[in-house]
Amino acid sequence: MSYLKNNKYISSSNESFRVIRKCSVCGKKAIFINSNKFRVNANGSRIDVWLIYQCKKCKHTYNLTIYERVRKDALSLELYTGFIENDDELARVYGRDKSLFVKNKAEIDLRSGPRY
Ligand SMILES: [Zn+2]
């Protein structure tokens, strides 16, 4: 079983999901891609974290909520530092996490994303 899992991992692509949504600047549906950057907003002991997506054409941004008003101490220092420093690999991990898009009710471009 673990052997199969490994195989699956090796053959997967690293591509983040793309999102289809109406861009208010372009005035029509557009493709948004992972900017591989986070936005962190601290409010007292609570923080919000977003993964920033950008319209492929005009770079208008769209933020996907990763954490909403969570206690800062609920996150590991490693994770928190990754958000603050825009850790590229961490951004790609979230960009491939389908549950994040489901939670945000974002429409995934079915031609994108990791392949197994
Ligand atoms: Zn646009």
Side-chain angles (χ1 to χ4, degrees):
M1 197 61 188
S2 62
Y3 169 74
L4 284 174
K5 249 188 183 167
N6 274 342
N7 239 0
K8 191 170 141 183
Y9 185 73
I10 288 162
S11 62
S12 69
S13 99
N14 280 337
E15 197 196 359
S16 291
F17 285 111
R18 291 188 296 250
V19 169
I20 300 172
R21 65 180 276 115
K22 191 171 180 211
C23 174
S24 58
V25 176
C26 294
K28 57 183 176 184
K29 277 201 170 185
I31 293 188
F32 285 72
I33 54 174
N34 193 351
S35 72
N36 294 322
K37 290 197 167 38
F38 298 101
R39 194 181 141 209
V40 180
N41 181 39
N43 197 332
S45 59
R46 305 274 172 173
I47 64 164
D48 302 306
V49 182
W50 297 274
L51 178 62
I52 304 172
Y53 263 61
Q54 285 185 318
C55 173
K56 211 173 161 185
K57 272 198 185 140
C58 73
K59 308 274 185 223
H60 183 59
T61 57
Y62 164 54
N63 297 335
L64 286 152
T65 303
I66 296 175
Y67 286 109
E68 206 169 17
R69 300 193 59 75
V70 292
R71 292 184 61 87
K72 192 179 157 187
D73 54 18
L75 304 180
S76 70
L77 184 61
E78 193 189 1
L79 192 58
Y80 182 72
T81 307
F83 290 143
I84 295 288
E85 294 180 349
N86 288 314
D87 185 274
D88 206 62
E89 186 47 41
L90 185 62
R92 286 172 208 281
V93 168
Y94 280 102
R96 296 192 298 264
D97 181 358
K98 203 165 188 173
S99 66
L100 176 68
F101 299 87
V102 172
K103 198 175 82 178
N104 280 273
K105 298 185 172 63
E107 183 187 343
I108 288 173
D109 179 355
L110 295 174
R111 293 164 301 178
S112 69
R115 291 185 174 70
Y116 301 107

